[in-house]
Amino acid sequence: MPSASPQSRPYPAFRWPARVLAVLLTVLACLGWAGVSLAQPDINKKKILYLNSYHNGYAWSDQILQGLRDALDKSTLPYDLQIEYMDSKRFYGTSMSDTLATLYREKYQGVTFDVLIASDDNAYQFLLEHQPSLFPETPVVFCGVNDYDPATLRGHSNFTGVVETTDISANLQLAHRLSPEITRVIVVSDMSLTGQAIRKQVQRAAARVSKLFAFEYWEVHTLPELLEKTDALSPSDMIFLIPIYLGSGKQVFSVEEVCEIVSRRSPVPIYSAWQFMLGHGIVGGKLHSGQGEGQIAGNMALRILSGESPANIPVVDKFDDPYLFDYLALKRFKIPEDALPLGSTLINEPLTFYTINKQVVWVGLVGFFLLVFILVLLITSIVQKRSVELQIKNQLSFLHILMDTIPLPLSYKGVDGSFLGCNLAFEKWFGVARGDLLKNLQHPLARRHDAAERHLLRVPGVLSYETDMQDSAGATHGVIVSKATYLSAKGEVAGVVEAIQDITLRREAEKALRRSQAMLRTVLDNIPQLVYWKDRDLNFMGVNRSFVDFFGLDNAQSIVGRRVGAIMPLEASDSAEKVNRRVLASGHSVHRREWTIELPGRDPVTLEMTVVPLHDETGEIMGILGTAEDVTAKLSLERQLLQSQKMEAIGALAGGIAHDFNNILTSIINSTELALMDLAEDSETAQDMERSLKAARRGSRLVQQILAFSRPSQQGFAPTDMAEVVHEALAIFAATLPRNITLSENIQVNPAIAFADPTQVHQIVMNICANAFQAMRDTGGHLALELVEADLDETHAEMVNVQPGRYLRLAVSDSGPGIPPDIMDRIFDPFFTTKAKGEGTGLGLAVVHGIVKSHRGGLRVASQPGKGTTFEIYLPKQGDFDASFPRALIAAKAAARRGDERILFVEDDADQLTVIPRVLSLLGYEVTAVSGAQEALDAVTALPGAFDVVVTDFDMPALSGVELAQRIEDIAPNLPVILVSGRRSALTAAQHAGNIRTVLLKPYNGEELAGAIGLLLDENQA
């Protein structure tokens, strides 16, 4: 067995005062530290993986394992030892190493070991290659390694261990002394990694004794091969046997079996350097012990598990191996015992019988029993003393482990300020060693004797305070320092215990939390939606700035802890809390629910609400979070959009009807006028025809009203003083009012200039006032008209569907019963009326809507049942109106002109194609009538100078009248064109053709057409 000194424990064995444990636990209680319970010391077992190069039953590695267990069992540290056998004596090679690596990767995936122990060369080489990938950063302790090269550990700072260094040269020199006749040494080995490593050691030792022996090296593969070679040895030879496994047929023999078989057959002595081979045929020598290596490796592992770095534990490669010999082998080869080294140990030595004088024996026995009795008394006393000492040592050992397990830096001082003890965390924090610090009054830390310690030495107790402190690297940490007085066994103040708790991360977390809360508050206070959150009792826990502004609160804190009833009427608050309670009960969110509320002194507001449950860390509902968005303006815009789209569709329909009706009326009027030319003026038939003509013209005016709704004209637009027009219209209307209806006028802008048609503005006032009169006719009331200037920003402009800018606002308000909400969206529909049959056409407000839109203005209606109605008209002030808007071209009224010019008349309506040319022919014109654009183009192309003017319809198949005019301009640039149409959109379209000089709207008669032709021809002649 090796006599290498055992490794020392990592803690100094100094005595601690008896009350330190109690004071320490008091400090930990102040810190709120959940310490390790005295009743549960084994709560965390250390995981150790022992990697054995060979197999179970191999004596050498079994001895190492036994030594390892002996060292670990002597420690109080709980451990869990996992053993893996690589069996490399029988299976070795690169492929086997890779196979084992794959096996261990799968087997220990997710398992973390505290330390790895490698036994012999194969395990050592395996971990050098695979430890970074299999067990990254896990410390490694090796043992039984032959032919060790320190260079192999470069880059492996977490490796340390025991080198299997045997004194081979000493054994060879001993063999020479015991058997001087031996001149040749036969070294027997195999091809295994360990065998090759030991062979290198033998070769180095052989160089030192080369003058004494000649060396021959056998690498054998089978036992028969070795036995055959052994038979040929001479008396001047000896065998140095390296531990090998050999096979014979299908059998494999262990090192001990090989040694026994060869020794029985060999005529020469066998030497080796390992204890486990003694007793199996070798002579003996200075023999190395596997159990001793295991104990040293186990002590190294314990130091690592206690927190010491492997880099600080040096590799052990020196041993004081004992001299051991086999008595039977010595006698076989006639080696005298007196030639053995002093202190040698023999095995298998027979017992020796000595004849002793009986009197001496009895005296010796009596003395022996007397000594035994005295010894028993002494042992009893010593056992009792040691029992007490053991209890004290156990307590101190537990206290050492407890303190070093605690991650807080802990220390305690005497009354003079010198440190009497500290834990590992304290050493690491301040970068000091206990040996330099303890009982050293000159150490800088010992002079750190602050006012808190001086106070505690005077007044025993406990103090805690927060401060900043630097660690060994110079980094500043925020810490909580807790200090307490501890007393001696006599109850006197013995010193101060100190604990340091690093709160740097907590401070940073608190700062991050404050920043996060500030950011959240900034985000919440800068979003337009109303945000609030409540507890399970529906009391407000917080609101954002938009919520405060919406409800007119002083600040966000003024609503915390209160219910919604504090800011809303009872009916509204009950409705809100009903939704909140449903979310709390079901755990399901309510999304985008529209809710209309009326707050005192404010118009009704529509909110779009979303309410979601709030969960705590356990998943339980702890309250609700709600958001609300004021969508009143959005809903108003949506209604306006729908109304606009509806009016556009109705307008298109009305325009189409008006166009077709105009064609019919044109034919009726002109046909009737032609018929009247052939009748006597006083005939009844002529009178009937006059009545028909009068009805046709009445229908024409109705069509003009429809067109005013669908495509209002800008014919009469000019800078207009709205104040004058409104005052004039109101004066006319006032004369028709009964006495139960009063009238007030408030015109604040004078002059109020707008680019408008005065007649159409006059019609707006009359139509709206007429509606108000109808509403108050039975009950009476008040009619108020107001004209003011208004600057509309983007928000207000959107609400009335106009561009931002300066406007004139004409407001007409009545105190009538109001407009029912269910018909509010239909009041501008053509022919919709609530009047009795015969009291109205239903076109009044529809025409108002069309006129306002043609003026690029806006219209808004506000009405509450029982509280009256207000119509607001917004018209752009002069300067804000877009002057580039296309002006309409239209024929001026003129008397019919007779002539003989040549006219090309283009019309797809068969009736007009027959009637109009007759009318013009009666006036003297030469008319060429064609029914389509292509025929007209062919006529102009054939004779470009054959016509003085072209009269064409706007709506025709294939080519429109404007497109025909453009084609004619390419052929005959100087040929003027008159465009006729029942659609007012033709006024704008006509501007795309430069040769269209006049636009004549249907229905028209022959005189109007002749007048337009005459004006055009006269202008050309001028």
Side-chain angles (χ1 to χ4, degrees):
M1 294 291 288
S3 58
S5 61
Q7 301 299 309
S8 62
R9 290 181 178 272
Y11 314 110
F14 52 86
R15 294 179 178 271
W16 291 40
R19 300 203 177 195
V20 172
L21 178 59
V23 177
L24 175 61
L25 294 177
T26 302
V27 173
L28 293 179
C30 296
L31 292 173
W33 183 264
V36 179
S37 171
L38 291 176
Q40 296 177 340
D42 296 337
I43 57 173
N44 290 315
K45 288 188 177 182
K46 299 295 183 179
K47 293 184 178 180
I48 305 172
L49 177 61
Y50 176 70
L51 201 59
N52 191 330
S53 294
Y54 307 127
H55 57 277
N56 187 21
Y58 183 44
W60 164 256
S61 58
D62 288 350
Q63 289 180 2
I64 291 179
L65 178 59
Q66 184 58 46
L68 174 66
R69 289 186 182 278
D70 291 343
L72 295 175
D73 290 340
K74 290 179 181 178
S75 167
T76 60
L77 189 70
Y79 68 92
D80 183 11
L81 183 63
Q82 179 75 33
I83 303 173
E84 290 288 347
Y85 293 97
M86 298 176 64
D87 204 9
S88 59
K89 280 291 183 182
R90 292 177 286 191
F91 306 99
Y92 54 87
T94 303
S95 62
M96 183 56 63
S97 177
D98 293 340
T99 300
L100 290 174
T102 301
L103 171 64
Y104 298 157
R105 183 176 292 107
E106 293 294 326
K107 185 174 182 179
Y108 295 113
Q109 183 177 10
V111 179
T112 301
F113 291 97
D114 297 292
V115 68
L116 306 175
I117 300 177
S119 169
D120 293 279
D121 295 86
N122 292 80
Y124 172 68
Q125 294 295 335
F126 178 82
L127 288 180
L128 283 177
E129 180 180 358
H130 296 289
Q131 181 259 357
S133 61
L134 293 177
F135 312 101
E137 301 182 4
T138 303
V140 176
V141 176
F142 57 83
C143 58
V145 174
N146 305 101
D147 198 24
Y148 167 75
D149 184 3
T152 60
L153 290 185
R154 289 175 186 166
H156 298 276
S157 59
N158 57 348
F159 275 59
T160 189
V162 184
V163 179
E164 183 183 336
T165 306
T166 56
D167 200 346
I168 297 175
S169 60
N171 281 312
L172 293 173
Q173 292 172 0
L174 175 64
H176 178 70
R177 286 201 313 272
L178 298 180
S179 303
E181 70 276 11
I182 295 175
T183 59
R184 186 175 69 155
V185 177
I186 306 300
V187 180
V188 179
S189 66
D190 59 7
M191 292 299 295
S192 67
L193 180 64
T194 301
Q196 294 301 309
I198 296 176
R199 175 174 170 172
K200 290 180 182 179
Q201 292 181 4
V202 174
Q203 288 173 337
R204 287 194 292 269
R208 292 193 287 271
V209 293
S210 58
K211 294 181 180 179
L212 301 177
F213 302 103
F215 287 83
E216 182 176 339
Y217 297 90
W218 291 357
E219 288 184 356
V220 295
H221 299 85
T222 64
L223 183 59
E225 176 189 356
L226 177 59
L227 295 176
E228 183 179 354
K229 288 185 175 183
T230 303
D231 292 338
L233 296 177
S234 66
S236 61
D237 298 330
M238 64 167 275
I239 295 175
F240 187 89
L241 184 60
I242 294 174
I244 59 176
Y245 268 58
L246 292 177
S248 176
K250 295 183 179 180
Q251 292 185 327
V252 177
F253 296 93
S254 66
V255 176
E256 296 90 333
E257 292 171 337
V258 170
C259 187
E260 289 178 357
I261 294 171
V262 173
S263 65
R264 288 197 297 267
R265 184 87 167 259
S266 172
V268 299
I270 301 174
Y271 285 83
S272 190
W274 293 270
Q275 284 188 23
F276 76 97
M277 298 174 67
L278 187 66
H280 298 283
I282 67 170
V283 173
K286 195 172 185 180
L287 303 183
H288 190 64
S289 169
Q291 189 171 1
E293 277 200 35
Q295 290 178 341
I296 297 174
N299 289 327
M300 288 181 171
L302 288 173
R303 292 171 65 182
I304 292 172
L305 294 176
S306 297
E308 191 169 355
S309 172
N312 297 331
I313 303 175
V315 175
V316 175
D317 58 358
K318 304 288 185 187
F319 302 92
D320 187 12
D321 292 328
Y323 284 99
L324 303 172
F325 296 93
D326 190 341
Y327 177 85
L328 299 178
L330 292 175
K331 292 303 179 182
R332 178 183 174 190
F333 295 103
K334 299 181 175 55
I335 298 173
E337 293 180 27
D338 56 359
L340 301 179
L342 186 65
S344 297
T345 301
L346 295 180
I347 67 169
N348 295 327
E349 183 179 12
L351 296 175
T352 303
F353 179 79
Y354 293 95
T355 304
I356 304 174
N357 187 289
K358 292 182 180 181
Q359 186 176 357
V360 174
V361 171
W362 281 108
V363 172
L365 289 174
V366 171
F368 172 74
F369 284 114
L370 180 61
L371 290 174
V372 168
F373 177 73
I374 296 173
L375 183 61
V376 169
L377 294 178
L378 291 174
I379 289 174
T380 302
S381 175
I382 292 171
V383 167
Q384 292 177 348
K385 179 181 178 182
R386 288 190 175 180
S387 176
V388 175
E389 290 179 348
L390 182 60
Q391 292 180 6
I392 296 174
K393 287 181 179 179
N394 286 339
Q395 291 180 355
L396 292 177
S397 175
F398 171 75
L399 187 59
H400 281 300
I401 295 173
L402 174 63
M403 286 192 64
D404 284 335
T405 303
I406 297 173
L408 303 181
L410 302 176
S411 63
Y412 65 95
K413 297 180 179 180
V415 292
D416 60 353
S418 64
F419 281 90
L420 301 180
C422 65
N423 67 345
L424 286 175
F426 187 94
E427 293 184 57
K428 292 178 181 179
W429 178 280
F430 291 102
V432 298
R434 295 182 189 179
D436 299 332
L437 176 66
L438 302 185
K439 297 184 179 180
N440 182 2
L441 285 171
Q442 303 305 315
H443 197 281
L445 288 180
R447 294 196 294 272
R448 189 173 58 87
H449 204 58
D450 57 18
E453 293 179 4
R454 291 191 292 271
H455 173 77
L456 289 172
L457 291 176
R458 292 194 307 271
V459 182
V462 177
L463 289 178
S464 292
Y465 57 91
E466 188 173 323
T467 185
D468 291 333
M469 187 177 293
Q470 289 186 337
D471 61 12
S472 59
T476 301
H477 297 257
V479 297
I480 294 177
V481 179
S482 297
K483 297 187 177 185
T485 310
Y486 71 89
L487 306 178
S488 67
K490 297 180 180 179
E492 299 174 348
V493 175
V496 175
V497 177
E498 178 186 60
I500 301 171
Q501 183 180 8
D502 188 352
I503 59 171
T504 305
L505 294 179
R506 192 189 78 184
R507 281 184 177 179
E508 293 176 354
E510 289 173 349
K511 289 180 181 178
L513 178 59
R514 286 194 295 271
R515 287 195 298 269
S516 176
Q517 290 175 337
M519 178 62 72
L520 178 60
R521 171 52 63 181
T522 301
V523 171
L524 288 175
D525 285 343
N526 285 278
I527 59 176
Q529 288 81 9
L530 283 63
V531 182
Y532 62 91
W533 49 102
K534 300 180 179 181
D535 59 21
R536 286 193 61 85
D537 296 326
L538 298 182
N539 295 315
F540 282 100
M541 298 170 62
V543 297
N544 70 341
R545 185 180 300 165
S546 296
F547 191 98
V548 172
D549 295 341
F550 182 84
F551 287 102
L553 303 177
D554 295 334
N555 52 62
Q557 290 299 318
S558 64
I559 193 64
V560 174
R562 302 171 68 188
R563 300 284 286 269
V564 70
I567 57 175
M568 287 187 189
L570 179 61
E571 183 179 353
S573 63
D574 289 344
S575 175
E577 291 200 346
K578 182 178 180 182
V579 175
N580 294 341
R581 282 191 292 270
R582 187 167 72 244
V583 173
L584 284 174
S586 66
H588 298 300
S589 304
V590 173
H591 293 280
R592 306 179 70 86
R593 180 179 183 270
E594 289 187 3
W595 184 43
T596 301
I597 61 172
E598 293 187 25
L599 298 178
R602 295 169 61 177
D603 293 335
V605 177
T606 300
L607 301 177
E608 187 175 77
M609 300 183 61
T610 296
V611 183
V612 298
L614 291 177
H615 299 272
D616 58 18
E617 61 276 4
T618 64
E620 294 294 326
I621 297 177
M622 56 172 287
I624 59 153
L625 170 69
T627 62
E629 182 179 1
D630 186 350
V631 295
T632 307
K634 185 181 79 170
L635 293 178
S636 175
L637 291 175
E638 288 176 354
R639 285 194 294 269
Q640 289 184 37
L641 177 60
L642 291 174
Q643 180 68 17
S644 175
Q645 291 172 341
K646 180 173 66 175
M647 297 302 290
E648 214 173 293
I650 295 173
L653 176 63
I657 294 172
H659 170 263
D660 292 339
F661 198 36
N662 274 331
N663 285 335
I664 297 170
L665 290 175
T666 299
S667 297
I668 293 173
I669 291 171
N670 286 281
S671 296
T672 304
E673 288 181 345
L674 285 175
L676 285 171
M677 292 180 185
D678 297 331
L679 296 173
E681 291 185 5
D682 56 351
S683 67
E684 291 184 359
T685 303
Q687 292 175 3
D688 290 337
M689 296 302 290
E690 285 288 353
R691 282 192 292 271
S692 297
L693 184 59
K694 186 177 181 181
R697 285 172 177 161
R698 231 181 9 252
S700 174
R701 288 193 293 272
L702 178 60
V703 170
Q704 293 302 320
Q705 280 189 305
I706 295 175
L707 288 174
F709 155 72
S710 63
R711 290 282 188 264
S713 168
Q714 293 184 353
Q715 174 184 356
F717 278 38
T720 302
D721 185 354
M722 292 285 293
E724 181 179 345
V725 174
V726 169
H727 178 74
E728 178 185 336
L730 197 59
I732 295 172
F733 186 75
T736 66
L737 289 177
R739 296 193 178 192
N740 64 342
I741 297 177
T742 59
L743 179 67
S744 65
E745 175 185 340
N746 180 18
I747 298 178
Q748 300 180 12
V749 185
N750 196 358
I753 306 301
F755 192 78
D757 183 341
T759 302
Q760 293 184 7
V761 174
H762 190 281
Q763 187 175 1
I764 289 174
V765 176
M766 296 300 289
N767 286 4
I768 295 178
C769 289
N771 270 17
F773 163 71
Q774 293 287 341
M776 299 185 293
R777 178 173 52 184
D778 297 331
T779 60
H782 182 74
L783 177 63
L785 188 145
E786 181 183 53
L787 181 65
V788 297
E789 185 177 321
D791 288 321
L792 299 185
D793 56 18
E794 288 190 6
T795 301
H796 290 85
E798 279 187 4
M799 295 180 67
V800 292
N801 197 22
V802 296
Q803 295 296 319
R806 182 171 296 177
Y807 287 80
L808 294 173
R809 181 171 67 88
L810 173 63
V812 180
S813 303
D814 66 66
S815 59
I819 301 174
D822 57 335
I823 67 169
M824 179 66 77
D825 293 338
R826 303 176 58 196
I827 61 175
F828 294 106
D829 292 356
F831 309 110
F832 175 77
T833 180
T834 59
K835 301 180 181 70
K837 186 176 181 179
E839 292 186 359
T841 63
L843 286 173
L845 291 181
V847 170
V848 169
H849 184 275
I851 292 173
V852 171
K853 290 303 177 184
S854 72
H855 283 73
R856 296 290 184 86
L859 176 62
R860 184 168 67 178
V861 182
S863 180
Q864 295 186 35
K867 296 184 180 180
T869 302
T870 298
F871 284 83
E872 292 182 348
I873 311 297
Y874 292 86
L875 298 180
K877 277 199 69 177
Q878 179 69 39
D880 292 336
F881 193 88
D882 186 359
S884 65
F885 187 74
R887 301 291 180 258
L889 298 174
I890 190 165
K893 297 292 182 180
R897 172 187 179 278
R898 300 183 68 83
D900 57 358
E901 286 84 3
R902 297 162 296 176
I903 299 173
L904 177 61
F905 184 75
V906 187
E907 175 62 69
D908 62 330
D909 186 83
D911 292 336
Q912 294 182 56
L913 193 63
T914 302
V915 174
I916 300 303
R918 284 181 58 198
V919 173
L920 294 177
S921 296
L922 291 174
L923 294 173
Y925 294 103
E926 183 180 341
V927 181
T928 301
V930 295
S931 61
Q934 189 59 48
E935 295 180 41
L937 286 175
D938 292 342
V940 174
T941 302
L943 296 170
F947 303 103
D948 297 306
V949 66
V950 176
V951 178
T952 179
D953 188 22
F954 175 58
D955 290 292
M956 294 190 298
L959 292 178
S960 69
V962 175
E963 292 171 331
L964 174 60
Q966 292 171 340
R967 299 281 186 91
I968 291 174
E969 188 175 20
D970 294 337
I971 301 170
N974 298 322
L975 180 58
V977 177
I978 295 176
L979 184 67
V980 295
S981 176
R983 301 181 188 274
R984 290 189 176 269
S985 60
L987 301 175
T988 303
Q991 299 179 67
H992 296 294
N995 57 345
I996 297 178
R997 306 290 292 278
T998 301
V999 177
L1000 184 62
L1001 293 178
K1002 298 178 181 180
Y1004 61 87
N1005 58 21
E1007 290 184 0
E1008 291 171 345
L1009 178 58
I1013 293 172
L1015 285 176
L1016 178 60
L1017 293 174
D1018 292 342
E1019 287 176 1
N1020 285 346
Q1021 291 174 1

